[in-house]
Amino acid sequence: MTQPSIQKIADPISMRMAAFRRVLQMEAERGHENKAVVGGLDRFLDRWRADLTDDEIKELSTSLTATLTQRKYDGLSVDQRTRWVHEALAALGDQQALQEIKAEQVPAEKPHSTKPQPAKQAKPGVAKPVSPKSLPEGLSLDSAPIVIKGVGPGIAVKLEVLAIKDIRGLLYHYPSRHLSVSQVANLPQGEETAIVGSVWDVGTLRMGKGGSLQSTEAVLGDETGNIRVLWFNQPYVARYVRPGNRLLVNGYFRGYRGQPTFEANGYEVVQDNEDRIAPGSLLPIYPATKGMPQRTLRRIISNALDAWLPRLADHLPEAVLQRQSLLSVTTALRDYHQPGSPEAKASARYRLAFDEMFIRQIFMLSRKHEWQSERAAKLTTVKAVMSEFIAALPFTLTKAQSRALKEVLADIAADVPSRRLVEGEVGSGKTVVALAAMLNAVAHGHQAAIMAPTEILAQQHFETISRLLQGMSRPINEPNNLVVEMDSMSKPMAIGLMLGSHTKRQKDDMKRRMEEHAVDILVGTHAIIQGDVNIPDLALAVVDEEHRFGVAQRGALGGKGQRTHLISMSATPIPRSLALTFYGDMDISIIDELPPGRSPSQTKWLRPDQREQANRFIRKEVAAGHQAFVVCPLIDESDSLQTSAAVEEYRKLSEDVFSDLSVGLLHGRMNLKEKTAVMERFRAGDIQVLVSTPVVEVGVDIPNATVMMVEGADRFGLSSLHQLRGRVGRSDAQGYCILMSEHPSEDAQARLSVMERESDGFRVAEEDMKLRGPGELTGTRQSGVPDMKLASLQDTQLLSATREEATAVLTRDPRLELPEHTLLAEALYRLTARVEEETVDTPTAKGKSRA
């Protein structure tokens, strides 16, 4: 087989100019340290000029000749070198490179002036780059990255895109992976690796049918041999790679048409003195952004490590380091960015992951200590009220409900503010437990409140409470109000509803009634935590679907009146490891039992060609007197797109598929009055099939509904699918969940298989965390704890160790006031600031409730 021809560059002067331009660009990128080429720029220029012919010298521009005859580059100051490079690039006509470099440099002094120069005034927000060997006083890890050598204003902007705003951000911008650097003779088959070698030849070739695919081919060699390198469909590489270049190439070693070939993904030109990418080393690959090459990131981060690791004190107490046999933070950071071996990398990763988990445990336990440092109303159990309420219920509490209620009542009986998370499956009866606790608070003469993330769920709570207290309530001629008379209470109890969509007059009236203590229990959305809502005697606050609120919103409700007891409820089961990390400031009660007669809904994942089978099944259930949901896919975060999908599905089903049935439509862009009207018709049985967006995921209780069909089920997470499934099977009739998916990815197929296999919500949550990770599962902005980069919540040993150490530290020093905890206190402060920053942008914080 004949070898493909390699096209040569025919213009020698163009090649020489290109080589010179590239050297100048690298010199600028390296901060004008005179290290772009081995031996320095003066030595390169001597060789470069010596190789020029008389004719080639004549072709050089006058300005370039003048630049080259100026005094030696090595003897110039940094500012003079900057100007020298600018002038040389301008003479070469490389305006794009010139503008890019100018944007990343501070103004330079004139190179030949002999007059004394006045002191320069720094530009606002721009500091002079710092040499690793000389660190001026006044700088800290909070200083902007621009003080690091090699970081100019242009690069600083790109770093900010990567959320790197200070030097600390550079040190903790971890590699996403490491590539092993191999030699040509030892390339592993089919495994991504990197090689460093010299380019012997380079050109383009045509491949594929009819030569339609242009690629770049090169011969790369090191001391162990040569290898053919191919950049498929990347002919432009041949314009930048030249014979004699020393390249770092990453990719895969495979056979191509019977010839050993290295299929390249990327490349960069390197220098002989870059020993950190020698064969056998592990090359860090960083999360990057457009215009930020890996070599630039590696150089900048390396400069930051060199300059700041000697000044970096360890925030972990010495006792913790010794008990856990941990590396110092300086060693860990160096070894994780630039590991000498896989073992060194693993040890460094564990130390840094320990840091992430430990500081979050400190954060959560500190919040719990702070919360409990004040006094709260002592709500001892009023047995007569509890007995009357439980006896009036139309059902018997399950053992799990009774256990959770006992734990809650024990919490609020103390004068220490309590925080408890009540978890339970959809329909397990969490609201009953919360209502009992609120009645107990009212029996002591105090007020209580329950907050839901959406108006439809708040309305549902108001109706549920009305239904549970039906035998003791009497209607009054006032909207959104309910009066309850209990024999065990000395006076009637008033319950009110307050929503963001209520008129100003309605809201003002409810605010006035709350201030006058004419309302004992307030039900509402985020509207009840607005600054002008005063609940003067709030003793117990309940937050439903708490993962949809940020810590700021939960704290705002808990801060009304005096310090309150707080109950958070979640129908999204949370794995224990996740709860200990993200909800470590709370005690936890689990309602892991469904009411008698309930059985788990049966779930089936169907293909597109089985749609008619699904429609027939819905008809069968409707014929039996039941009802069905059809939920349209969560396309993205756009309400309008969701609505369009639902409207189209409604049109298709009502006019064609189920034209003989009563089909309704519900979506988040309807106002509350329209939503309520639709739900009332559905609840009354006037609507047989309800087409909806995911607005029905929470807060909809239709016992007669037995079928939940989810369109585009692959677009949903497991937690959302489990929530939707919980909307059916809420009576003694069997519930069914049909998952429709046309072209699910491998990840989506794994999720759908879990839904078919698992009915227990906690098992589903564990699988969800394995597939998606804890940050996406909880929504870090909603949970109020920023994502962890290295720590895994599936590492139970790490979780246990950090929890134990955090508890020990705070038991000895609850406020971190001891001298040895000064740096730890600073780290806690930084995390707290991040939490506040993460939660300030949430929809609930902005006063919006997604319905």
Side-chain angles (χ1 to χ4, degrees), residues 142-208:
D142 297 318
S143 299
I146 200 168
V147 303
I148 296 297
K149 184 173 58 177
V151 180
I155 289 181
V157 170
K158 293 168 187 173
L159 290 176
E160 194 160 350
V161 174
L162 296 171
I164 300 174
K165 301 177 181 179
D166 49 32
I167 297 170
R168 183 180 288 103
L170 276 174
L171 299 182
Y172 287 90
H173 187 67
Y174 298 132
S176 56
R177 59 197 172 105
H178 290 80
L179 286 180
S180 176
V181 180
S182 301
Q183 292 180 302
V184 169
N186 302 314
L187 286 171
Q189 281 276 2
E191 176 184 329
E192 187 178 14
T193 188
I195 52 176
V196 179
S198 298
V199 178
W200 298 115
D201 214 346
V202 64
T204 59
L205 73 159
R206 293 189 174 275
M207 307 171 65

Side-chain angles (χ1 to χ4, degrees), residues 64 645 731:
L64 178 58
S731 67

Side-chain angles (χ1 to χ4, degrees), residues 100-408:
E100 184 175 302
I101 292 173
K102 280 185 175 179
E104 296 179 356
Q105 304 299 329
V106 296
E109 65 183 272
K110 293 183 179 181
H112 300 302
S113 175
T114 58
K115 295 181 180 180
Q117 298 295 316
K120 294 187 177 182
Q121 299 297 318
K123 289 184 178 181
V126 177
K128 190 174 180 179
V130 178
S131 167
K133 298 178 181 178
S134 175
L135 295 172
E137 294 299 323
L139 294 181
S140 72
L141 290 170
D142 297 318
S143 299
I146 200 168
V147 303
I148 296 297
K149 184 173 58 177
V151 180
I155 289 181
V157 170
K158 293 168 187 173
L159 290 176
E160 194 160 350
V161 174
L162 296 171
I164 300 174
K165 301 177 181 179
D166 49 32
I167 297 170
R168 183 180 288 103
L170 276 174
L171 299 182
Y172 287 90
H173 187 67
Y174 298 132
S176 56
R177 59 197 172 105
H178 290 80
L179 286 180
S180 176
V181 180
S182 301
Q183 292 180 302
V184 169
N186 302 314
L187 286 171
Q189 281 276 2
E191 176 184 329
E192 187 178 14
T193 188
I195 52 176
V196 179
S198 298
V199 178
W200 298 115
D201 214 346
V202 64
T204 59
L205 73 159
R206 293 189 174 275
M207 307 171 65
K209 188 175 181 179
S212 59
L213 182 67
Q214 269 198 311
S215 301
T216 296
E217 179 187 46
V219 177
L220 191 74
D222 62 16
E223 57 268 27
T224 69
N226 298 328
I227 186 72
R228 180 196 192 201
V229 181
L230 279 180
W231 285 269
F232 288 103
N233 201 28
Q234 298 177 63
Y236 55 85
V237 173
R239 297 199 299 267
Y240 303 104
V241 174
R242 294 289 180 264
N245 284 158
R246 187 164 175 77
L247 292 189
L248 166 71
V249 186
N250 65 289
Y252 294 85
F253 175 54
R254 297 187 176 103
Y256 181 73
R257 293 185 176 178
Q259 183 178 359
T261 301
F262 192 83
E263 298 176 11
N265 292 333
Y267 77 95
E268 58 189 80
V269 178
V270 298
Q271 303 304 312
D272 290 332
N273 59 348
E274 296 195 32
D275 54 359
R276 283 174 179 161
I277 51 176
S281 63
L282 293 173
L283 182 71
I285 304 296
Y286 292 99
T289 188
K290 185 177 181 181
M292 179 68 77
Q294 283 294 318
R295 63 177 179 274
T296 303
L297 261 177
R298 280 201 302 271
R299 185 182 70 253
I300 292 169
I301 292 175
S302 180
N303 287 343
L305 293 171
D306 290 343
W308 287 92
L309 286 189
R311 294 160 56 102
L312 186 63
D314 209 318
H315 59 272
L316 281 188
E318 184 63 30
V320 176
L321 291 171
Q322 292 182 0
R323 279 196 299 267
Q324 298 297 327
S325 301
L326 297 172
L327 297 175
S328 69
V329 68
T330 55
T331 300
L333 283 170
R334 176 72 75 183
D335 284 357
Y336 195 67
H337 282 285
Q338 301 162 352
S341 66
E343 293 76 18
K345 175 188 170 183
S347 296
R349 183 187 179 96
Y350 183 84
R351 160 62 209 261
L352 298 174
F354 188 98
D355 279 4
E356 291 180 342
M357 190 79 79
F358 176 76
I359 195 62
R360 280 157 180 77
Q361 297 287 4
I362 289 284
F363 172 78
M364 286 299 180
L365 293 173
S366 294
R367 285 179 61 84
K368 184 173 183 178
H369 179 270
E370 179 186 358
W371 183 269
Q372 294 183 336
S373 64
E374 300 180 31
R375 299 275 72 83
K378 193 173 182 179
L379 307 176
T380 54
T381 303
V382 182
K383 294 183 179 179
V385 172
M386 290 298 99
S387 298
E388 184 180 356
F389 171 64
I390 293 173
L393 292 173
F395 52 81
T396 302
L397 295 180
T398 64
K399 292 180 179 178
Q401 283 176 308
S402 297
R403 182 178 65 246
L405 178 57
K406 183 178 179 181
E407 292 168 345
V408 168

Side-chain angles (χ1 to χ4, degrees), residues 49 57-70 91:
R49 281 190 294 256
I57 291 175
K58 291 179 182 179
E59 291 186 43
L60 297 179
S61 66
T62 303
S63 58
L64 178 58
T65 303
T67 299
L68 297 179
T69 56
Q70 291 176 7

